[in-house]
Amino acid sequence: MTQRGSALNFRDFVDELLAVGDAVDVHRPVDPILEAAAVTRRVYETRSPAPLFENLTGTEPGYRLLGAPAGLSSGPAGTYGRLAAHFGLPRETTPRELLDRLITAMHAEPVAPRVVDSGPCKEHVLRGDEVDLERFPVPLLHQQDGGRYFGTYGFHVVRTPDGRWTSWSISRSMLHGRTTLVGPAMAQQHLGMIHRSWQERGEPTPWAMVLGAPPAALAAAGMPLPAEVNEDGYVGALTGSPVEVVRTETNGLYVPANAEIVLEGYISPDETAPEGPMGEYHGYTFAESKPQPVFHVEAVTHRSDPILPICVAGLPPEENHTIWGTMISASALDQLRADGLPVDLAWCSYEAATCWIVVSVDIRRLAETGMDERQLADAVADSLFGSHAGWLVPKVLLVADDIDITDIDQVVWALATRYHPGTGEYAYPDAPGIPMVPYLTAAEVRSGRGGKSVVSCLLPEHFAGRTRGVTTDFRHAYPRALQQKVLDTWTDYGFAAPGGPVR
């Protein structure tokens, strides 16, 4: 029997979005060359429902695309509704509640996957000459892109030669031919680490790619878990149920049984081809391509009427920020807590394109440590910049815990009114980092180091556990009883939406 629920079944996830009005069936003809992506970009920027494109031109009937699977929502659907649905959580789940759930699962006993004989992903099996990736509605996402991208919201499956570690890793893949893809496998990422271990043996890397994956599995694949931790066990702990997996047709790997589409084959140990350019998560397209490994597809399996999910990367927020940023936040917060630092929360502001993480400091605990600003900045840098999560995010902003760091307006206010130019920033030029950050120099990209900083938005009195001023807003400038009265009678004033309870 197929696993059910939005966390473990992508088809159920889509049906749930449609049922609550957070996805819309698009029945009119849409061209996968730029038009589907243009609609999806507009969806991100207006917080509209996710578009399910049912009628794609130039492709076989039944093939579908889903745009913006983890875009933000508006109205009664709940801002984080699509994100929460990835984990089977209520649509009103808050960022803090979500991070708590993710971190709890990190410390729970892994739940190993359950191997099944078959599943929906095997409804159609194509091998040998039947394999033709161009049968799918592979989209062109931006007019500046160097090709059409098949994999923007899926994950790679690779396993070490000794079989000890299986990694589910997110990395994009561009269509290269009827049976080939090309894409990055960076040495610092788990996909690259395992690929290198096969290269050292002079052998191809057995590989699969899962598209339309169980949403919780997709999110876990984008989480910077430690090396040699199997994401499948984490997903089981996170959802409370073992992920059902099935053996691939050609190479002995295991993939989620109810995935929409599975590609399988190998990564060449030495063959490369130009990949890109592509509009990136940081919001820029740079007119250059790079040689990247070639992925050979020997078999394709898929569900009937398969849905290919797409992320149209660019200005935030899109999935690189909502999914990837959230999973980075959980890993970073867990690391800071493990190192005993006085932190309340950590959050990659979606609007910052995964280029900063804001850390809320518990100022009472900070006072107990006796640390000054430099000592705190160094301690946070040591904790984060040496971790996988910190490798991905170049800047850290420190704020007091009176700031709701999931509210970008409050973060901007704190940065504007509390950061002291010339004394509040600490640079770490030797810290390692992802080479995709736009402002890095050519030398920093080559060395894989630099461009890292900690910015303090803490005032001197915060180090003594005190806050000098009173925030002048609805919550702090009026008696609590009056606040509740205003909220209770909000519609009587002539406003459309109820005010809600005092928090």
Side-chain angles (χ1 to χ4, degrees):
M1 180 179 292
T2 302
Q3 285 187 302
R4 311 307 313 188
S6 68
L8 291 173
N9 188 312
F10 184 79
R11 196 69 63 97
D12 286 354
F13 167 79
V14 174
D15 288 344
E16 179 180 308
L17 296 188
L18 289 167
V20 301
D22 202 17
V24 59
D25 270 314
V26 181
H27 291 289
R28 63 168 291 146
V30 172
D31 193 337
I33 305 302
L34 293 179
E35 184 180 2
V39 173
T40 301
R41 276 306 318 176
R42 183 67 176 157
V43 162
Y44 293 132
E45 293 168 18
T46 58
R47 299 195 178 184
S48 298
L52 178 62
F53 301 105
E54 303 265 10
N55 184 2
L56 295 158
T57 61
T59 190
E60 297 180 24
Y63 287 66
R64 297 179 285 172
L65 295 174
L66 178 74
L72 297 183
S73 306
S74 62
T79 300
Y80 304 97
R82 261 173 265 171
L83 185 61
H86 277 65
F87 307 100
L89 298 174
R91 296 188 63 83
E92 63 272 16
T93 299
T94 66
R96 183 182 290 271
E97 291 167 339
L98 181 52
L99 293 186
D100 285 343
R101 178 70 170 265
L102 295 172
I103 292 173
T104 297
M106 292 173 69
H107 295 277
E109 188 69 24
V111 177
R114 179 189 299 121
V115 178
V116 296
D117 292 334
S118 189
C121 75
K122 299 286 191 178
E123 289 173 353
H124 300 267
V125 178
L126 307 171
R127 301 182 64 163
D129 292 341
E130 295 178 307
V131 175
D132 182 0
L133 300 181
E134 295 178 350
R135 293 176 57 186
F136 291 88
V138 184
L140 181 63
L141 300 175
H142 319 90
Q143 63 183 343
Q144 299 88 359
D145 285 356
R148 294 184 288 155
Y149 278 84
F150 202 119
T152 58
Y153 205 65
F155 62 81
H156 301 271
V157 180
V158 290
R159 185 175 58 204
T160 53
D162 60 11
R164 185 167 43 90
W165 174 29
T166 297
S167 171
W168 292 357
S169 305
I170 290 182
S171 185
R172 70 194 191 213
S173 59
M174 190 181 84
L175 187 66
H176 181 250
R178 292 178 68 254
T179 62
T180 53
L181 301 169
V182 58
M186 287 188 283
Q188 302 90 340
Q189 294 182 305
H190 296 166
L191 173 64
M193 293 177 187
I194 292 177
H195 177 46
R196 186 170 62 250
S197 69
W198 287 93
Q199 283 180 308
E200 290 170 351
R201 296 161 60 106
E203 299 178 25
T205 304
W207 158 84
M209 188 168 198
V210 182
L211 299 140
L218 183 284
M223 191 173 197
L225 293 170
E228 303 195 13
V229 171
N230 291 348
E231 285 80 6
D232 53 16
Y234 173 75
V235 175
L238 179 63
T239 62
S241 178
V243 182
E244 290 185 352
V245 296
V246 64
R247 188 181 174 94
T248 55
E249 297 291 311
T250 62
N251 58 21
L253 297 172
Y254 287 88
V255 296
N258 61 13
E260 294 286 320
I261 303 165
V262 177
L263 314 180
E264 54 182 88
Y266 63 92
I267 312 172
S268 171
D270 50 22
E271 185 182 0
T272 64
E275 184 264 336
M278 179 193 181
E280 299 274 12
Y281 73 92
H282 42 59
Y284 297 92
T285 302
F286 297 111
E288 57 189 33
S289 62
K290 296 179 181 178
Q292 302 288 11
V294 175
F295 298 71
H296 290 263
V297 181
E298 298 180 303
V300 177
T301 68
H302 65 82
R303 296 186 71 156
S304 297
D305 300 328
I307 303 171
L308 174 64
I310 61 171
C311 165
V312 185
L315 282 177
E318 36 90 344
E319 285 74 22
N320 285 296
H321 317 115
T322 59
I323 288 289
W324 193 35
T326 299
M327 307 311 280
I328 291 171
S329 299
S331 293
L333 179 57
D334 186 62
Q335 182 67 50
L336 291 163
R337 286 174 174 173
D339 288 336
L341 292 171
V343 301
D344 171 60
L345 198 66
W347 186 249
C348 283
S349 304
Y350 296 161
E351 298 81 0
T354 323
C355 287
W356 80 32
I357 187 167
V358 189
V359 175
S360 172
V361 178
D362 184 330
I363 61 172
R364 286 152 296 280
R365 289 173 53 205
L366 173 62
E368 293 170 0
T369 68
M371 286 192 287
D372 61 22
E373 188 174 81
R374 177 84 220 199
Q375 291 170 327
L376 176 63
D378 286 347
V380 169
D382 288 344
S383 177
L384 284 186
F385 293 157
S387 71
H388 193 180
W391 177 76
L392 294 165
V393 183
K395 302 187 190 77
V396 181
L397 273 60
L398 304 178
V399 302
D401 55 0
D402 63 324
I403 298 295
D404 176 2
I405 61 174
T406 68
D407 181 346
I408 191 63
D409 291 341
Q410 292 193 38
V411 174
V412 170
W413 177 66
L415 183 61
T417 63
R418 300 182 182 184
Y419 161 64
H420 189 288
T423 62
E425 183 170 11
Y426 303 89
Y428 299 89
D430 295 325
I434 189 169
M436 299 174 72
V437 177
Y439 59 74
L440 294 178
T441 67
E444 288 170 333
V445 170
R446 286 193 300 270
S447 68
R449 295 183 179 274
K452 298 277 195 171
S453 71
V454 174
V455 175
S456 174
C457 300
L458 296 166
L459 298 171
E461 59 268 22
H462 290 150
F463 290 86
R466 301 189 306 273
T467 297
R468 181 175 53 194
V470 175
T471 302
T472 307
D473 64 353
F474 180 77
R475 179 182 174 190
H476 297 94
Y478 306 96
R480 191 171 182 83
L482 178 58
Q483 293 178 46
Q484 194 62 58
K485 176 184 176 182
V486 170
L487 295 175
D488 292 343
T489 58
W490 191 245
T491 56
D492 295 340
Y493 296 122
F495 299 108
V502 174
R503 294 187 181 276

